[in-house]
Amino acid sequence: MSLLSNVEANKQLKLLDGWSLENNAIKKEYIFNSYMDSIRFINLLAEKAEKNNHHPDLVVGWRKINMTLTSHDLGGVTHLCIKIAKEAEKIFSSKDFS
């Protein structure tokens, strides 16, 4: 898998709400109704990450998750980063969290 250019990464991020490109990574903060909702989100996302062998960095706070995606091997954003971001968006917009 190859790195996306900043132009291509930003083009892909325009299709995703609230994501930004910073320091060779894509990032978003998710806000939840409860702490347990955020934990449930992580567990659902972990299944997708494991299946794709691409794992986000997650910082857990009270009712929020800060997510960062990058390819540690390649040092930047790949199509797999975008794929996991899309998976996160699907999970977050599901009936469980909306």
Side-chain angles (χ1 to χ4, degrees):
M1 178 143 312
S2 61
L3 291 176
L4 297 177
S5 69
N6 285 348
V7 170
E8 181 60 27
N10 278 314
K11 181 180 173 184
Q12 293 292 324
L13 292 181
K14 287 183 187 215
L15 304 173
L16 299 171
D17 185 41
W19 285 86
S20 63
L21 176 65
E22 300 172 33
N23 301 321
N24 298 317
I26 58 174
K27 300 178 179 190
K28 180 173 180 173
E29 180 176 82
Y30 287 96
I31 305 294
F32 298 88
N33 291 323
S34 72
Y35 178 76
M36 291 311 294
D37 281 347
S38 67
I39 299 304
R40 202 165 60 247
F41 172 83
I42 288 172
N43 286 327
L44 292 169
L45 182 62
E47 292 178 22
K48 301 293 184 181
E50 189 66 17
K51 179 180 175 184
N52 288 281
N53 193 31
H54 196 68
H55 307 88
D57 292 328
L58 302 168
V59 177
V60 180
W62 182 69
R63 295 180 37 206
K64 68 181 176 180
I65 303 289
N66 286 294
M67 181 183 306
T68 303
L69 284 158
T70 190
S71 170
H72 299 289
D73 293 340
L74 299 176
V77 178
T78 66
H79 285 288
L80 204 45
C81 296
I82 301 297
K83 180 178 181 178
I84 297 300
K86 288 178 181 178
E87 294 288 356
E89 290 298 301
K90 284 182 200 173
I91 294 167
F92 187 73
S93 64
S94 73
K95 63 179 170 32
D96 291 334
F97 302 107
S98 57

Coordinates of all heavy atoms in Angstrom, one line a residue:
M1 N 0.8 -1.2 0.0 CA 0.0 0.0 0.0 C 0.9 1.2 0.0 O 1.9 1.3 0.7 CB -0.9 0.0 1.2 CG -1.8 1.2 1.3 SD -3.4 1.0 1.9 CE -4.1 -0.4 1.1
S2 N 0.5 2.2 -0.8 CA 1.3 3.4 -0.9 C 0.6 4.6 -0.1 O -0.6 4.6 0.1 CB 1.5 3.8 -2.3 OG 0.3 4.0 -3.0
L3 N 1.5 5.6 0.1 CA 1.0 6.8 0.8 C 0.1 7.6 -0.1 O 0.4 7.7 -1.3 CB 2.2 7.7 1.3 CG 3.0 7.1 2.4 CD1 4.2 8.0 2.7 CD2 2.2 6.9 3.7
L4 N -0.9 8.3 0.4 CA -1.6 9.3 -0.3 C -0.9 10.6 -0.3 O -0.3 11.0 0.8 CB -3.0 9.4 0.3 CG -3.9 8.2 0.3 CD1 -5.3 8.6 1.0 CD2 -4.2 7.8 -1.1
S5 N -1.0 11.4 -1.3 CA -0.5 12.8 -1.3 C -1.4 13.6 -0.4 O -2.6 13.2 -0.1 CB -0.5 13.4 -2.7 OG -1.8 13.6 -3.1
N6 N -0.9 14.7 0.1 CA -1.8 15.6 0.9 C -3.0 16.0 0.2 O -4.1 16.1 0.8 CB -1.0 16.8 1.4 CG 0.0 16.4 2.6 OD1 -0.1 15.3 3.1 ND2 0.9 17.3 2.9
V7 N -2.9 16.3 -1.1 CA -4.0 16.7 -1.9 C -5.0 15.6 -2.0 O -6.3 15.8 -1.8 CB -3.5 17.1 -3.4 CG1 -4.7 17.3 -4.3 CG2 -2.7 18.3 -3.3
E8 N -4.6 14.3 -2.2 CA -5.5 13.2 -2.3 C -6.2 12.9 -0.9 O -7.4 12.7 -0.9 CB -4.8 11.9 -2.8 CG -5.7 10.7 -3.0 CD -6.9 10.9 -3.9 OE1 -6.8 11.7 -4.9 OE2 -8.0 10.2 -3.7
A9 N -5.4 13.0 0.1 CA -5.9 12.7 1.5 C -7.0 13.8 1.8 O -8.1 13.4 2.3 CB -4.8 12.8 2.5
N10 N -6.7 15.1 1.5 CA -7.7 16.1 1.8 C -8.9 16.0 0.9 O -10.1 16.2 1.4 CB -7.1 17.5 1.6 CG -6.3 17.9 2.8 OD1 -6.8 17.8 3.9 ND2 -5.1 18.5 2.6
K11 N -8.8 15.5 -0.3 CA -9.9 15.2 -1.2 C -10.8 14.2 -0.6 O -12.0 14.3 -0.5 CB -9.4 14.8 -2.6 CG -10.5 14.5 -3.6 CD -9.9 14.1 -4.9 CE -10.9 13.6 -5.9 NZ -10.4 13.1 -7.1
Q12 N -10.2 13.1 -0.1 CA -11.0 12.0 0.6 C -11.7 12.5 1.9 O -12.8 12.1 2.2 CB -10.1 10.8 0.9 CG -9.5 10.1 -0.3 CD -10.6 9.4 -1.1 OE1 -11.6 8.9 -0.5 NE2 -10.5 9.4 -2.4
L13 N -11.0 13.4 2.6 CA -11.5 13.8 3.9 C -12.7 14.8 3.7 O -13.5 14.9 4.6 CB -10.4 14.5 4.7 CG -9.3 13.6 5.2 CD1 -8.3 14.4 6.0 CD2 -9.9 12.5 6.0
K14 N -12.8 15.4 2.5 CA -14.0 16.3 2.3 C -15.2 15.5 2.3 O -16.3 16.0 2.5 CB -13.8 17.0 1.0 CG -12.7 18.1 1.1 CD -12.6 18.9 -0.2 CE -11.4 19.8 -0.1 NZ -11.5 21.1 -0.7
L15 N -15.1 14.2 2.0 CA -16.3 13.3 2.0 C -16.7 12.8 3.4 O -17.7 12.2 3.6 CB -16.0 12.1 1.1 CG -15.7 12.4 -0.3 CD1 -15.3 11.2 -1.1 CD2 -16.8 13.2 -1.0
L16 N -15.8 13.1 4.4 CA -16.0 12.7 5.8 C -16.2 13.9 6.7 O -15.4 14.8 6.7 CB -14.8 11.8 6.3 CG -14.6 10.6 5.5 CD1 -13.3 9.9 5.9 CD2 -15.8 9.6 5.6
D17 N -17.2 13.9 7.6 CA -17.5 15.0 8.5 C -16.5 15.1 9.6 O -16.3 14.2 10.4 CB -18.9 14.9 9.0 CG -19.3 16.1 9.8 OD1 -19.0 17.2 9.4 OD2 -19.9 15.9 10.9
G18 N -15.8 16.3 9.7 CA -15.0 16.6 10.9 C -13.6 16.0 10.9 O -12.9 16.2 11.9
W19 N -13.1 15.4 9.9 CA -11.8 14.9 9.8 C -10.8 15.9 9.3 O -11.1 16.8 8.5 CB -11.7 13.7 8.9 CG -12.3 12.4 9.6 CD1 -13.6 12.1 9.5 CD2 -11.7 11.4 10.3 NE1 -13.8 10.9 10.2 CE2 -12.6 10.5 10.7 CE3 -10.3 11.2 10.7 CZ2 -12.3 9.4 11.4 CZ3 -10.0 10.1 11.4 CH2 -11.0 9.2 11.8
S20 N -9.6 15.9 9.9 CA -8.5 16.8 9.4 C -7.2 16.1 9.2 O -7.0 15.0 9.8 CB -8.3 17.9 10.4 OG -7.9 17.4 11.7
L21 N -6.4 16.6 8.4 CA -5.1 16.1 8.1 C -4.1 16.9 8.9 O -4.0 18.1 8.7 CB -4.8 16.2 6.6 CG -3.4 15.7 6.1 CD1 -3.2 14.2 6.4 CD2 -3.2 16.0 4.6
E22 N -3.3 16.3 9.7 CA -2.3 17.0 10.5 C -1.1 16.1 10.8 O -1.3 14.9 11.2 CB -2.8 17.3 11.9 CG -4.0 18.2 11.9 CD -4.6 18.4 13.3 OE1 -3.8 18.4 14.3 OE2 -5.9 18.5 13.4
N23 N 0.1 16.5 10.5 CA 1.3 15.8 10.8 C 1.3 14.4 10.2 O 1.6 13.4 11.0 CB 1.6 15.8 12.3 CG 1.7 17.2 12.9 OD1 2.3 18.1 12.2 ND2 1.2 17.4 14.0
N24 N 1.0 14.2 9.0 CA 1.0 12.9 8.3 C 0.0 11.9 8.9 O 0.2 10.7 8.8 CB 2.4 12.3 8.3 CG 3.4 13.2 7.5 OD1 3.1 13.7 6.5 ND2 4.6 13.3 8.1
A25 N -1.1 12.4 9.4 CA -2.1 11.6 10.0 C -3.5 12.3 9.8 O -3.6 13.5 9.6 CB -1.9 11.4 11.5
I26 N -4.6 11.5 9.9 CA -5.9 12.0 9.9 C -6.5 11.9 11.3 O -6.2 10.9 12.0 CB -6.8 11.4 8.8 CG1 -6.9 9.9 8.9 CG2 -6.3 11.8 7.4 CD1 -7.9 9.3 7.9
K27 N -7.3 12.9 11.7 CA -7.8 13.0 13.0 C -9.2 13.4 13.1 O -9.7 14.2 12.3 CB -6.9 13.9 13.8 CG -5.4 13.6 13.9 CD -4.6 14.6 14.6 CE -3.2 14.2 14.6 NZ -2.4 15.0 15.5
K28 N -9.9 12.9 14.2 CA -11.2 13.4 14.5 C -11.5 13.2 16.0 O -11.0 12.2 16.6 CB -12.3 12.7 13.7 CG -13.7 13.1 14.0 CD -14.7 12.6 13.0 CE -16.1 13.1 13.4 NZ -17.1 12.7 12.5
E29 N -12.3 14.1 16.5 CA -12.8 13.9 17.9 C -14.3 13.5 17.8 O -15.1 14.2 17.1 CB -12.7 15.1 18.7 CG -13.2 15.0 20.2 CD -12.9 16.2 21.0 OE1 -13.7 17.1 20.9 OE2 -11.9 16.1 21.8
Y30 N -14.7 12.4 18.5 CA -16.0 12.0 18.5 C -16.6 12.3 19.9 O -15.9 12.0 20.9 CB -16.1 10.5 18.3 CG -15.9 10.0 16.9 CD1 -14.7 9.6 16.4 CD2 -17.0 10.1 15.9 CE1 -14.5 9.2 15.1 CE2 -16.8 9.7 14.6 CZ -15.5 9.3 14.2 OH -15.3 8.9 12.9
I31 N -17.8 12.8 20.0 CA -18.5 13.1 21.2 C -19.7 12.2 21.4 O -20.5 12.0 20.4 CB -19.0 14.6 21.3 CG1 -17.8 15.5 21.0 CG2 -19.7 14.9 22.6 CD1 -16.7 15.6 22.1
F32 N -19.8 11.6 22.6 CA -20.9 10.6 22.8 C -21.8 11.1 23.9 O -21.5 12.0 24.7 CB -20.3 9.3 23.2 CG -19.4 8.7 22.1 CD1 -18.1 9.0 22.0 CD2 -19.9 7.8 21.2 CE1 -17.3 8.5 21.0 CE2 -19.2 7.3 20.2 CZ -17.8 7.6 20.1
N33 N -23.0 10.4 24.0 CA -24.0 10.8 25.0 C -23.5 10.3 26.4 O -24.0 10.8 27.4 CB -25.3 10.2 24.7 CG -25.9 11.0 23.5 OD1 -25.8 12.2 23.3 ND2 -26.6 10.2 22.7
S34 N -22.7 9.2 26.4 CA -22.3 8.7 27.7 C -20.9 8.0 27.5 O -20.5 7.7 26.4 CB -23.3 7.6 28.2 OG -23.2 6.4 27.4
Y35 N -20.3 7.8 28.7 CA -19.0 7.2 28.6 C -19.1 5.8 28.1 O -18.3 5.3 27.2 CB -18.4 7.1 30.1 CG -17.1 6.4 30.1 CD1 -15.9 7.0 29.7 CD2 -17.0 5.1 30.7 CE1 -14.7 6.4 29.8 CE2 -15.7 4.5 30.7 CZ -14.6 5.1 30.3 OH -13.4 4.5 30.4
M36 N -20.1 5.0 28.4 CA -20.3 3.7 28.0 C -20.6 3.6 26.5 O -20.2 2.6 25.8 CB -21.4 2.9 28.8 CG -21.0 2.7 30.2 SD -19.3 1.9 30.4 CE -19.6 0.3 29.6
D37 N -21.2 4.6 25.9 CA -21.4 4.7 24.4 C -20.0 4.8 23.8 O -19.8 4.1 22.8 CB -22.2 5.9 24.0 CG -23.7 5.7 24.2 OD1 -24.1 4.6 24.4 OD2 -24.4 6.8 24.1
S38 N -19.1 5.6 24.3 CA -17.8 5.7 23.7 C -17.0 4.3 23.8 O -16.3 4.0 22.8 CB -17.0 6.8 24.4 OG -16.6 6.5 25.7
I39 N -17.2 3.6 24.9 CA -16.5 2.3 25.0 C -17.1 1.3 24.0 O -16.4 0.5 23.4 CB -16.6 1.8 26.5 CG1 -15.9 2.8 27.4 CG2 -16.1 0.4 26.6 CD1 -14.5 3.0 27.1
R40 N -18.5 1.4 23.9 CA -19.1 0.5 22.9 C -18.6 0.8 21.5 O -18.4 -0.1 20.7 CB -20.6 0.6 23.0 CG -21.4 -0.6 22.5 CD -22.9 -0.6 22.9 NE -23.6 0.5 22.4 CZ -24.1 1.5 23.2 NH1 -24.0 1.4 24.5 NH2 -24.8 2.5 22.7
F41 N -18.5 2.1 21.2 CA -17.9 2.5 19.9 C -16.5 1.9 19.6 O -16.2 1.3 18.6 CB -17.9 4.0 19.8 CG -17.2 4.6 18.6 CD1 -17.8 4.7 17.4 CD2 -15.9 5.0 18.7 CE1 -17.2 5.3 16.3 CE2 -15.2 5.5 17.6 CZ -15.9 5.7 16.4
I42 N -15.7 2.0 20.6 CA -14.3 1.4 20.5 C -14.4 -0.1 20.2 O -13.6 -0.6 19.4 CB -13.5 1.7 21.8 CG1 -13.1 3.2 21.9 CG2 -12.2 0.8 21.8 CD1 -12.5 3.6 23.2
N43 N -15.2 -0.8 21.0 CA -15.3 -2.2 20.8 C -15.8 -2.6 19.4 O -15.2 -3.5 18.7 CB -16.2 -2.9 21.8 CG -15.5 -2.9 23.2 OD1 -14.3 -3.0 23.3 ND2 -16.3 -2.7 24.2
L44 N -16.7 -1.9 18.8 CA -17.2 -2.1 17.5 C -16.1 -1.7 16.4 O -15.8 -2.5 15.5 CB -18.5 -1.3 17.2 CG -19.7 -1.8 17.9 CD1 -20.8 -0.8 17.8 CD2 -20.1 -3.2 17.5
L45 N -15.4 -0.6 16.7 CA -14.4 -0.2 15.8 C -13.2 -1.2 15.8 O -12.5 -1.5 14.8 CB -13.9 1.2 16.1 CG -12.8 1.8 15.2 CD1 -13.3 1.9 13.8 CD2 -12.4 3.1 15.7
A46 N -12.9 -1.7 17.0 CA -11.7 -2.6 17.1 C -11.9 -3.9 16.2 O -10.9 -4.4 15.7 CB -11.6 -3.0 18.6
E47 N -13.1 -4.3 16.1 CA -13.4 -5.5 15.2 C -13.0 -5.1 13.8 O -12.4 -5.9 13.1 CB -14.9 -5.9 15.3 CG -15.2 -6.5 16.6 CD -16.7 -6.9 16.7 OE1 -17.3 -7.1 15.7 OE2 -17.2 -7.0 17.9
K48 N -13.4 -4.0 13.3 CA -13.1 -3.5 11.9 C -11.6 -3.3 11.8 O -11.0 -3.7 10.8 CB -13.8 -2.2 11.6 CG -15.3 -2.3 11.7 CD -15.9 -3.2 10.6 CE -17.4 -3.2 10.7 NZ -18.0 -4.1 9.7
A49 N -11.0 -2.7 12.8 CA -9.5 -2.5 12.7 C -8.7 -3.8 12.6 O -7.8 -3.9 11.9 CB -9.1 -1.6 13.9
E50 N -9.1 -4.7 13.5 CA -8.4 -6.0 13.5 C -8.6 -6.8 12.2 O -7.7 -7.3 11.7 CB -8.9 -6.9 14.7 CG -8.2 -8.1 14.9 CD -6.7 -7.8 15.4 OE1 -6.4 -6.7 15.9 OE2 -5.9 -8.8 15.3
K51 N -9.8 -6.7 11.6 CA -10.1 -7.4 10.4 C -9.2 -6.8 9.2 O -8.8 -7.6 8.4 CB -11.6 -7.2 10.0 CG -12.0 -7.9 8.7 CD -13.4 -7.6 8.4 CE -13.8 -8.2 7.0 NZ -15.2 -7.9 6.7
N52 N -9.0 -5.5 9.3 CA -8.2 -4.8 8.3 C -6.7 -4.7 8.6 O -5.9 -4.2 7.8 CB -8.7 -3.5 8.0 CG -10.0 -3.5 7.2 OD1 -10.0 -3.7 6.0 ND2 -11.2 -3.4 7.9
N53 N -6.3 -5.2 9.8 CA -4.9 -5.1 10.3 C -4.4 -3.6 10.2 O -3.3 -3.4 9.7 CB -4.0 -6.0 9.6 CG -2.7 -6.2 10.3 OD1 -2.6 -6.1 11.5 ND2 -1.6 -6.4 9.5
H54 N -5.3 -2.7 10.6 CA -4.9 -1.3 10.6 C -5.6 -0.7 11.8 O -6.8 -0.6 11.9 CB -5.4 -0.6 9.3 CG -4.7 0.7 9.1 ND1 -3.4 0.8 8.8 CD2 -5.2 1.9 9.1 CE1 -3.1 2.1 8.7 NE2 -4.2 2.8 8.8
H55 N -4.8 -0.3 12.8 CA -5.4 0.1 14.1 C -5.2 1.6 14.4 O -4.0 2.1 14.4 CB -4.7 -0.8 15.2 CG -4.8 -2.2 14.9 ND1 -3.9 -2.9 14.1 CD2 -5.7 -3.1 15.2 CE1 -4.2 -4.2 14.0 NE2 -5.3 -4.3 14.6
P56 N -6.3 2.3 14.7 CA -6.1 3.7 15.1 C -5.6 3.9 16.4 O -5.6 3.0 17.3 CB -7.6 4.2 15.0 CG -8.4 3.0 15.4 CD -7.6 1.8 14.8
D57 N -5.0 5.0 16.6 CA -4.6 5.5 18.0 C -5.8 6.2 18.6 O -6.4 7.0 17.9 CB -3.4 6.5 17.9 CG -2.1 5.8 17.5 OD1 -1.9 4.6 17.8 OD2 -1.3 6.5 16.8
L58 N -6.2 5.7 19.8 CA -7.4 6.3 20.4 C -7.1 6.8 21.8 O -6.4 6.1 22.6 CB -8.5 5.1 20.5 CG -8.9 4.5 19.2 CD1 -9.7 3.2 19.6 CD2 -9.7 5.4 18.4
V59 N -7.6 8.0 22.0 CA -7.4 8.6 23.4 C -8.9 8.7 23.9 O -9.7 9.4 23.3 CB -6.8 10.0 23.3 CG1 -6.7 10.6 24.7 CG2 -5.4 9.9 22.7
V60 N -9.1 8.0 25.0 CA -10.4 8.0 25.6 C -10.5 9.0 26.7 O -9.7 9.1 27.6 CB -10.7 6.6 26.3 CG1 -12.0 6.5 26.9 CG2 -10.5 5.5 25.2
G61 N -11.6 9.8 26.6 CA -11.9 10.8 27.7 C -13.3 10.6 28.1 O -14.0 9.6 27.7
W62 N -13.8 11.4 29.0 CA -15.2 11.3 29.4 C -16.1 11.7 28.3 O -16.1 12.9 27.9 CB -15.4 12.2 30.7 CG -16.8 12.0 31.2 CD1 -17.4 10.9 31.8 CD2 -17.9 13.0 31.1 NE1 -18.7 11.2 32.1 CE2 -19.0 12.5 31.7 CE3 -17.9 14.3 30.6 CZ2 -20.2 13.1 31.8 CZ3 -19.1 15.0 30.7 CH2 -20.3 14.4 31.3
R63 N -16.8 10.8 27.7 CA -17.8 10.9 26.6 C -17.2 11.4 25.3 O -17.8 11.9 24.5 CB -18.9 11.9 27.0 CG -19.8 11.4 28.2 CD -20.8 12.4 28.6 NE -21.4 13.1 27.4 CZ -21.9 14.3 27.4 NH1 -22.0 15.0 28.5 NH2 -22.4 14.9 26.3
K64 N -15.8 11.2 25.2 CA -15.2 11.6 23.9 C -14.1 10.6 23.6 O -13.5 10.0 24.5 CB -14.8 13.0 23.9 CG -13.6 13.3 24.8 CD -13.2 14.8 24.7 CE -12.1 15.1 25.7 NZ -11.7 16.5 25.6
I65 N -13.8 10.5 22.3 CA -12.7 9.7 21.8 C -12.0 10.6 20.7 O -12.6 11.1 19.8 CB -13.2 8.4 21.0 CG1 -14.1 7.5 21.9 CG2 -12.1 7.6 20.4 CD1 -13.4 6.8 23.0
N66 N -10.7 10.7 20.9 CA -9.9 11.3 19.9 C -9.2 10.2 19.1 O -8.4 9.4 19.7 CB -8.8 12.3 20.5 CG -9.5 13.5 21.0 OD1 -10.0 14.3 20.2 ND2 -9.5 13.7 22.3
M67 N -9.4 10.2 17.8 CA -8.9 9.1 16.9 C -7.9 9.7 16.0 O -8.1 10.8 15.4 CB -10.0 8.5 16.1 CG -9.6 7.4 15.2 SD -10.9 6.7 14.2 CE -12.1 6.2 15.5
T68 N -6.8 9.0 15.8 CA -5.7 9.3 14.9 C -5.4 8.1 14.0 O -5.2 7.0 14.6 CB -4.5 9.8 15.6 OG1 -4.8 10.9 16.4 CG2 -3.4 10.2 14.6
L69 N -5.4 8.3 12.7 CA -5.0 7.2 11.8 C -3.8 7.6 11.0 O -3.8 8.7 10.4 CB -6.2 6.9 10.9 CG -7.3 6.1 11.5 CD1 -8.6 6.3 10.7 CD2 -6.9 4.6 11.6
T70 N -2.8 6.7 10.9 CA -1.7 6.9 10.0 C -1.1 5.5 9.8 O -1.3 4.6 10.6 CB -0.6 7.9 10.7 OG1 0.4 8.2 9.7 CG2 0.0 7.3 11.9
S71 N -0.3 5.4 8.8 CA 0.5 4.1 8.6 C 1.8 4.3 9.3 O 2.7 5.1 8.9 CB 0.7 3.8 7.1 OG 1.6 2.8 7.0
H72 N 2.0 3.7 10.4 CA 3.3 3.8 11.2 C 4.5 3.2 10.3 O 5.6 3.7 10.4 CB 3.2 3.1 12.5 CG 2.2 3.7 13.4 ND1 2.3 5.0 14.0 CD2 1.0 3.3 13.8 CE1 1.3 5.3 14.7 NE2 0.4 4.2 14.6
D73 N 4.2 2.2 9.5 CA 5.2 1.6 8.7 C 5.7 2.6 7.6 O 6.8 2.7 7.3 CB 4.7 0.3 8.0 CG 4.4 -0.8 9.0 OD1 5.0 -0.7 10.1 OD2 3.7 -1.7 8.7
L74 N 4.7 3.3 7.0 CA 5.0 4.1 5.8 C 5.2 5.6 6.2 O 5.7 6.4 5.4 CB 3.9 4.0 4.7 CG 3.8 2.6 4.2 CD1 2.6 2.5 3.2 CD2 5.0 2.1 3.5
G75 N 4.7 6.0 7.4 CA 4.9 7.4 7.8 C 3.9 8.4 7.2 O 4.3 9.5 7.0
G76 N 2.7 7.9 7.0 CA 1.7 8.9 6.5 C 0.3 8.2 6.3 O 0.1 7.1 6.8
V77 N -0.5 8.9 5.5 CA -1.9 8.4 5.3 C -2.0 7.5 4.1 O -1.4 7.9 3.0 CB -2.8 9.7 5.2 CG1 -4.3 9.2 4.9 CG2 -2.8 10.5 6.4
T78 N -2.7 6.4 4.2 CA -2.9 5.5 3.1 C -4.4 5.3 2.9 O -5.2 5.8 3.6 CB -2.3 4.1 3.4 OG1 -3.1 3.5 4.5 CG2 -0.8 4.2 3.7
H79 N -4.8 4.6 1.8 CA -6.2 4.3 1.5 C -6.8 3.5 2.7 O -8.0 3.6 3.0 CB -6.3 3.5 0.2 CG -6.2 4.3 -1.0 ND1 -7.1 5.2 -1.4 CD2 -5.1 4.4 -1.9 CE1 -6.7 5.8 -2.5 NE2 -5.5 5.3 -2.8
L80 N -6.0 2.7 3.4 CA -6.5 1.9 4.5 C -6.9 2.9 5.7 O -7.8 2.6 6.4 CB -5.4 0.9 5.0 CG -5.9 -0.3 5.7 CD1 -7.2 -0.9 5.1 CD2 -4.8 -1.3 5.8
C81 N -6.1 3.9 5.9 CA -6.5 4.9 6.9 C -7.9 5.5 6.6 O -8.7 5.6 7.4 CB -5.5 6.1 6.9 SG -3.8 5.6 7.4
I82 N -8.1 5.8 5.3 CA -9.4 6.4 4.9 C -10.5 5.3 5.1 O -11.6 5.7 5.5 CB -9.3 6.9 3.4 CG1 -8.3 7.9 3.2 CG2 -10.7 7.3 2.9 CD1 -8.5 9.2 4.0
K83 N -10.2 4.1 4.7 CA -11.2 3.0 4.9 C -11.6 2.9 6.4 O -12.8 2.8 6.7 CB -10.6 1.7 4.4 CG -11.6 0.5 4.5 CD -11.0 -0.7 4.0 CE -12.0 -1.9 4.1 NZ -11.5 -3.1 3.5
I84 N -10.7 2.9 7.3 CA -11.0 2.8 8.7 C -11.8 4.0 9.2 O -12.7 3.9 10.0 CB -9.7 2.5 9.6 CG1 -9.1 1.2 9.2 CG2 -10.1 2.5 11.0 CD1 -10.0 -0.1 9.3
A85 N -11.4 5.2 8.7 CA -12.2 6.4 9.0 C -13.6 6.3 8.5 O -14.5 6.6 9.3 CB -11.5 7.6 8.4
K86 N -13.8 5.7 7.4 CA -15.2 5.5 6.9 C -15.9 4.5 7.7 O -17.1 4.7 8.0 CB -15.1 5.0 5.4 CG -14.8 6.1 4.4 CD -14.7 5.6 3.0 CE -14.3 6.7 2.0 NZ -14.2 6.2 0.7
E87 N -15.2 3.5 8.2 CA -15.8 2.5 9.1 C -16.3 3.1 10.4 O -17.4 2.9 10.9 CB -14.9 1.3 9.3 CG -14.6 0.4 8.2 CD -15.7 -0.5 7.7 OE1 -16.8 -0.5 8.4 OE2 -15.6 -1.1 6.7
A88 N -15.4 4.0 10.9 CA -15.7 4.7 12.1 C -17.0 5.6 11.9 O -17.8 5.6 12.8 CB -14.5 5.6 12.6
E89 N -17.0 6.2 10.8 CA -18.2 7.1 10.5 C -19.5 6.3 10.4 O -20.5 6.7 10.9 CB -18.0 7.9 9.2 CG -16.9 8.9 9.3 CD -17.3 10.0 10.3 OE1 -18.3 10.7 10.2 OE2 -16.5 10.2 11.3
K90 N -19.4 5.1 9.8 CA -20.6 4.2 9.7 C -21.0 3.8 11.1 O -22.2 3.8 11.4 CB -20.3 3.0 8.9 CG -20.2 3.2 7.4 CD -19.9 1.9 6.7 CE -19.4 2.1 5.3 NZ -18.9 0.8 4.7
I91 N -20.1 3.4 11.9 CA -20.4 3.0 13.3 C -21.1 4.1 14.1 O -22.1 4.0 14.7 CB -19.2 2.4 14.0 CG1 -18.7 1.1 13.4 CG2 -19.5 2.2 15.5 CD1 -17.3 0.7 13.8
F92 N -20.4 5.3 14.0 CA -20.9 6.4 14.8 C -22.3 6.9 14.3 O -23.1 7.3 15.2 CB -19.9 7.6 14.7 CG -20.2 8.8 15.6 CD1 -20.0 8.7 16.9 CD2 -20.7 9.9 15.1 CE1 -20.3 9.7 17.8 CE2 -21.0 11.0 15.9 CZ -20.8 10.9 17.2
S93 N -22.5 6.8 13.0 CA -23.8 7.3 12.5 C -24.9 6.3 12.6 O -26.1 6.5 12.3 CB -23.7 7.8 11.1 OG -23.3 6.7 10.2
S94 N -24.6 5.1 13.1 CA -25.6 4.0 13.3 C -26.6 4.4 14.4 O -26.4 5.3 15.2 CB -24.9 2.7 13.7 OG -24.5 2.7 15.0
K95 N -27.7 3.7 14.5 CA -28.7 4.0 15.4 C -28.3 4.0 16.9 O -28.8 4.6 17.7 CB -29.9 3.1 15.2 CG -29.6 1.7 15.4 CD -30.9 0.8 15.2 CE -30.7 -0.6 15.2 NZ -29.8 -1.3 15.9
D96 N -27.2 3.3 17.1 CA -26.7 3.1 18.5 C -26.1 4.4 19.0 O -26.1 4.6 20.3 CB -25.6 2.1 18.6 CG -26.1 0.7 18.3 OD1 -27.3 0.4 18.6 OD2 -25.4 -0.2 17.8
F97 N -25.6 5.3 18.2 CA -25.0 6.5 18.7 C -25.6 7.8 18.2 O -25.2 8.9 18.6 CB -23.5 6.5 18.2 CG -22.8 5.3 18.7 CD1 -22.4 4.3 17.8 CD2 -22.5 5.1 20.1 CE1 -21.8 3.1 18.3 CE2 -21.8 4.0 20.5 CZ -21.5 3.0 19.6
S98 N -26.6 7.7 17.4 CA -27.2 9.0 16.9 C -28.4 9.4 17.7 O -28.9 8.8 18.6 CB -27.6 8.8 15.4 OG -28.5 7.7 15.2

